[in-house]
């Protein structure tokens, strides 16, 4: 079994993790200083959100030099030191790979936009007249370029022009860049919006739609498999590395076209369970119901196994905090640990996002100015005419990506121990009570629970590769499943609500080996979770 299936990944958002020089921005030396913490949690792989040269329109998802480190984060020397120390500790390092688009300040784009005759012009996607496509941050996906009197495509901000993957020279440049990082020793890539690379030739008009007009021409496009197979054949196959592709609007059947027997990517991130509290798009919230979360997770378990391998996640840098979203502040510890157990013990590679292991929550910011995220501001301006300021702030306070991006809460000192300068994004005021140091000493410690789960998973094949069987699927309050392998079985049962609920009859009960409550009754307490183990 490959290492990337056995290990748990920890995602770092470098800007918000640990500042080492007081400029209010997290950096590589900051990460180095926290490696022992990560090691002690029991994770095996670290994924860094982008640290490359960038004008930071989208916090580094707009890259202007793929082979340079942004000075905010340090230097290539710092990076080499980080990679060396990560490896010395027996950990792996995975980079973010953003190759659907670059920054509009990338030298390729600067050349491309200067003249139609520039050899780089064809690295991007142009049209004399825009079509009706819209992008992920709301509004038209085309921007006028006066120098060539054309429009360029940008599925994200207008500072993120889409690359033209039809161009073979561009593809060679990307492969060269991948080899640069792999030769340095990085262990893989999280591939940003990878299912958007291929667009329908001719860029035809899209079907009318209130959101993402034209998506049928840029999601899972006609040549996507060809491109990914080429990358795998020419680059990834030559290294002991792994790829996880972020794929927007993907169902399990489509997922298998990428990951069946790891033919193109080793695994994908999908979003269906992230719609447990919204209607398809996060800006259209509906009431969260646990059954929606359960259903989506089980669907992926049932339909992707056994020929594909899942990713398991509840949070990342684009999503609100899971305790705020699917849990409860009243039952902070119980809900954080119940959610952790539910997702971590499914079949797949678990991904933990920084701060999730101490139950960090959404930020209570009521002013638009306290949010920095480009998407948040773009969506606000797009829709404020329809929903009004109050209506928009309500949405933002629930769903802004900045909820995940507030500085990591290390201790109860100033700025939560993140920086001794002015943090680039405000610290969540609850850092006095929710922080790593405090949580460590709490009798009810969320990080200790995470450690226990990770250790259990590491030590039991059944939890890694075991078959998944869900019970009581229709129960709206309780999740309940088993994982079994060669006669060993784990039974996981938990209450996903803040009321006591009747405990279902659990098959194969033997030793109760893990729980987040002390006394076990006939009913399951709010967010109570139990894990039973039957040995071979
Ligand atoms: O955040 C989202 C929903 O509001 C998604 O639509 C998100 O934009 C999408 O999942 C793509 O995300 C990735 O690519 C973006 C970048 O802004 C995100 O941070 C990144 O995870 C463009 O590079
Ligand atoms: Ca810094």
């Amino acid at each position: 079994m490959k290492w990337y299936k056995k290990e748990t990944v920890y995602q770092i958002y470098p800007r918000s993790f640990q500042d080492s020089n007081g400029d209010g921005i997290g950096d590589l030396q900051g990460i180095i200083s926290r490696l022992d913490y990560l090691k002690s949690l029991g994770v095996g792989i670290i994924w860094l959100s982008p640290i490359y040269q960038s004008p930071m329109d989208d916090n580094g998802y707009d890259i202007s030099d793929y082979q340079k480190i942004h000075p905010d984060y340090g230097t290539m020397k710092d990076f080499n030191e980080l990679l060396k120390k990560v490896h010395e500790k027996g950990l792996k390092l995975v980079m973010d790979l953003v190759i659907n688009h670059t920054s509009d300040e990338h030298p390729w784009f600067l050349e491309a936009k200067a003249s139609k005759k520039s050899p780089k012009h064809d690295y991007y996607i142009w049209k004399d007249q825009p079509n009706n496509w819209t992008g992920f941050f709301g509004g038209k996906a085309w921007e006028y370029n006066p120098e060539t009197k054309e429009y360029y495509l940008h599925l994200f901000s207008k500072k993120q022009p889409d690359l033209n993957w039809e161009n073979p020279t561009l593809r060679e440049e990307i492969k060269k860049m991948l080899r640069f990082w792999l030769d340095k020793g990085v262990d893989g890539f999280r591939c940003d919006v990878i299912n958007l690379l291929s667009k329908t030739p001719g860029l035809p008009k899209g079907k009318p739609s209130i959101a993402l007009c034209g998506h049928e021409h840029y999601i899972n496009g006609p040549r996507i498999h060809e491109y990914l197979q080429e990358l795998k054949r020419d680059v990834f196959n030559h290294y002991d590395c792994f790829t996880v592709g972020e794929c927007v609007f993907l169902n399990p059947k489509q997922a298998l076209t990428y990951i069946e027997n790891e033919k193109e990517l080793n695994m994908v991130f999908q979003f269906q369970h992230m719609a447990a509290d919204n209607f398809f798009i996060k800006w259209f919230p509906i009431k969260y119901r646990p059954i929606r979360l359960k259903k989506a997770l089980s669907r992926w378990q049932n339909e992707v196994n056994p020929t594909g391998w899942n990713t398991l996640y509840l949070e990342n840098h684009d999503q609100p905090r899971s305790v705020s979203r699917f849990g409860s502040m009243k039952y902070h510890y119980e809900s954080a640990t119940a959610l952790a157990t539910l997702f971590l013990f499914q079949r797949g590679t678990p991904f933990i996002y920084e701060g999730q292991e101490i139950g960090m929550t959404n930020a209570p910011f009521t002013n638009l100015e306290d949010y920095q995220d480009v998407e948040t501001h773009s969506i606000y301006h797009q829709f404020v005419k329809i929903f009004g300021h109050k209506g928009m702030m309500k949405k933002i306070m629930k769903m802004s990506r900045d909820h995940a991006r507030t500085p990591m809460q290390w201790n109860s000192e100033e700025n939560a121990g993140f920086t001794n300068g002015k943090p680039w994004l405000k610290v969540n005021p609850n850092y006095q009570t929710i922080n790593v140091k405090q949580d460590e000493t709490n009798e009810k410690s969320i990080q200790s629970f995470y450690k226990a789960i990770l250790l259990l998973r590491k030590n039991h094949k059944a939890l890694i590769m075991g078959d998944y069987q869900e019970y009581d699927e229709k129960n709206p309050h309780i999740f309940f499943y088993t994982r079994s392998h060669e006669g060993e079985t784990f039974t996981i049962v938990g209450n996903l609500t803040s009321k006591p609920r009747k405990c279902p009859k659990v098959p194969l009960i033997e030793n109760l080996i893990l729980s987040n409550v002390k006394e076990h009754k006939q009913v399951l307490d709010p967010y109570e979770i139990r894990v039973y183990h039957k040995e071979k």
Side-chain angles (χ1 to χ4, degrees):
M1 162 137 315
K2 285 289 200 178
W3 53 268
Y4 50 76
K5 296 188 171 174
K6 279 194 239 160
E7 300 289 353
T8 294
V9 185
Y10 187 93
Q11 182 191 353
I12 291 182
Y13 198 65
R15 233 180 154 63
S16 304
F17 191 60
Q18 177 69 68
D19 179 21
S20 73
N21 62 353
D23 66 357
I25 300 173
D27 47 50
L28 297 178
Q29 284 300 333
I31 298 174
I32 291 173
S33 72
R34 295 295 184 181
L35 288 179
D36 285 334
Y37 169 74
L38 298 178
K39 182 77 190 169
S40 76
L41 268 181
V43 299
I45 305 169
I46 297 168
W47 150 30
L48 297 183
S49 274
I51 51 168
Y52 314 96
Q53 182 74 52
S54 158
M56 293 288 167
D57 181 57
D58 188 13
N59 287 351
Y61 283 90
D62 50 322
I63 298 172
S64 54
D65 190 332
Y66 285 105
Q67 280 159 236
K68 280 222 170 80
I69 303 293
H70 194 291
D72 280 354
Y73 299 131
T75 61
M76 194 55 92
K77 207 169 144 247
D78 295 317
F79 178 80
N80 293 340
E81 183 186 338
L82 170 66
L83 184 61
K84 191 162 160 263
K85 294 201 163 142
V86 164
H87 285 161
E88 277 167 9
K89 291 189 190 301
L91 303 168
K92 305 260 186 190
L93 191 72
V94 168
M95 303 283 280
D96 219 300
L97 180 70
V98 190
I99 50 178
N100 174 68
H101 44 269
T102 66
S103 161
D104 66 339
E105 296 180 33
H106 193 292
W108 294 343
F109 191 72
L110 296 178
E111 275 185 51
K113 74 170 196 180
S115 155
K116 282 191 184 178
K117 291 205 193 91
S118 151
K120 299 287 188 293
H121 186 262
D122 190 50
Y123 277 22
Y124 294 87
I125 301 174
W126 303 93
K127 231 178 173 352
D128 291 335
Q129 286 304 319
N131 62 20
N132 64 350
W133 295 6
T134 56
F136 288 82
F137 294 164
K140 280 223 161 299
W142 297 93
E143 184 70 14
Y144 187 59
N145 176 47
E147 286 99 322
T148 60
K149 301 194 172 61
E150 296 164 296
Y151 292 78
Y152 64 86
L153 177 70
H154 62 91
L155 292 179
F156 294 89
S157 99
K158 65 178 183 213
K159 285 185 69 59
Q160 293 167 297
D162 279 54
L163 285 165
N164 176 21
W165 274 75
E166 305 259 335
N167 183 309
T169 322
L170 180 262
R171 299 206 296 277
E172 289 309 317
E173 295 251 27
I174 299 282
K175 288 185 221 165
K176 233 169 50 197
M177 177 272 285
L178 290 171
R179 291 188 196 108
F180 168 83
W181 289 104
L182 291 163
D183 287 340
K184 261 187 179 301
V186 311
D187 302 292
F189 295 99
R190 173 269 186 187
C191 313
D192 193 62
V193 288
I194 204 70
N195 65 333
L196 302 184
L197 297 191
S198 165
K199 280 85 179 173
T200 305
L203 313 167
K205 199 172 153 199
K207 285 189 224 126
S209 152
I210 43 161
L212 286 183
C213 196
H215 65 86
E216 67 279 20
H217 296 302
Y218 57 72
I219 296 182
N220 309 320
R223 295 183 67 187
I224 184 64
H225 296 295
E226 186 193 325
Y227 298 151
L228 293 179
Q229 281 161 25
E230 183 178 324
L231 290 182
K232 185 155 194 286
R233 183 194 66 219
D234 293 354
V235 184
F236 300 132
N237 273 350
H238 304 273
Y239 298 86
D240 177 24
C241 67
F242 97 102
T243 53
V244 46
E246 186 205 25
C247 291
V248 291
F249 299 107
L250 197 75
N251 64 38
K253 207 167 145 219
Q254 291 163 327
L256 286 174
T257 66
Y258 293 95
I259 58 170
E260 190 156 40
N261 303 314
E262 303 175 60
K263 62 180 168 192
E264 291 168 13
L265 299 160
N266 301 109
M267 53 191 102
V268 293
F269 285 128
Q270 55 84 22
F271 289 89
Q272 291 193 326
H273 63 301
M274 290 288 114
D277 60 354
N278 57 76
F279 184 68
F280 194 51
I281 296 243
K282 70 177 188 186
W283 302 108
F284 302 121
I286 56 175
K287 190 173 180 307
Y288 162 63
R289 284 186 297 132
I291 189 123
R292 287 172 65 92
L293 187 64
K294 250 177 60 159
K295 256 199 185 151
L297 289 175
S298 278
R299 178 174 182 210
W300 280 78
Q301 291 292 311
N302 294 329
E303 294 180 28
V304 163
N305 292 324
T307 55
W309 185 256
N310 273 299
T311 58
L312 312 169
Y313 77 93
L314 285 178
E315 292 184 19
N316 62 38
H317 64 291
D318 291 334
Q319 300 293 333
R321 291 291 186 174
S322 58
V323 188
S324 302
R325 196 173 181 185
F326 308 132
S328 141
M329 284 314 284
K330 184 168 171 204
Y331 299 103
H332 183 244
Y333 167 80
E334 288 75 12
S335 63
T337 49
L339 287 165
T341 315
L342 158 70
F343 94 95
L344 255 144
F345 281 166
Q346 301 222 323
R347 188 173 195 268
T349 297
F351 289 73
I352 299 171
Y353 178 70
E354 64 180 43
Q356 179 179 348
E357 75 278 21
I358 52 165
M360 275 179 63
T361 68
N362 282 357
F365 307 154
T366 49
N367 295 327
L368 184 61
E369 302 76 60
D370 288 336
Y371 294 86
Q372 308 265 344
D373 173 29
V374 59
E375 181 202 43
T376 303
H377 286 273
S378 174
I379 293 284
Y380 176 89
H381 292 294
Q382 200 69 36
F383 291 113
V384 66
K385 281 185 218 92
I386 308 172
F387 297 103
H389 174 75
K390 259 194 160 162
M392 281 316 291
M393 286 317 294
K394 208 172 143 200
K395 288 183 193 292
I396 288 168
M397 287 189 69
K398 252 195 139 122
M399 287 310 213
S400 170
R401 306 195 297 184
D402 277 347
H403 293 302
R405 300 176 181 184
T406 60
M408 177 72 181
Q409 294 165 207
W410 294 104
N411 53 46
S412 59
E413 287 155 37
E414 209 187 344
N415 296 320
F418 164 69
T419 179
N420 46 32
K422 185 171 181 278
W424 71 277
L425 180 68
K426 276 192 184 169
V427 175
N428 190 319
N430 66 15
Y431 75 92
Q432 306 266 357
T433 47
I434 299 179
N435 64 63
V436 172
K437 203 160 169 216
Q438 177 66 49
D439 179 77
E440 230 168 22
T441 51
N442 283 349
E443 199 196 328
K444 291 177 168 184
S445 163
I446 301 172
Q447 67 189 288
S448 304
F449 202 88
Y450 265 90
K451 285 182 191 169
I453 302 180
L454 291 185
L455 199 65
L456 257 185
R457 184 178 179 278
K458 202 171 257 173
N459 290 335
H460 294 275
K461 271 194 184 160
L463 288 171
I464 299 172
M465 58 216 280
D467 294 335
Y468 176 87
Q469 171 71 53
E470 192 190 8
Y471 295 88
D472 222 356
E473 294 96 329
K474 300 226 163 71
N475 190 321
H477 309 125
I478 307 282
F479 71 81
F480 178 11
Y481 63 85
T482 57
R483 298 291 311 285
S484 38
H485 182 71
E486 293 176 349
E488 182 183 27
T489 300
F490 285 87
T491 301
I492 292 105
V493 55
N495 177 359
L496 279 180
T497 74
S498 49
K499 293 202 180 97
R501 305 283 179 187
K502 195 168 153 239
C503 187
K505 244 185 131 163
V506 183
L508 307 167
I509 289 195
E510 275 182 31
N511 299 347
L512 177 69
I513 54 161
L514 186 71
S515 179
N516 56 357
V517 306
K518 281 226 172 91
E519 277 170 42
H520 301 280
K521 301 168 240 153
Q522 290 290 72
V523 294
L524 289 169
D525 277 344
Y527 296 101
E528 173 174 349
I529 135 106
R530 298 181 195 172
V531 178
Y532 299 96
H533 181 214
K534 177 181 156 288
E535 288 187 70
K536 277 185 220 187

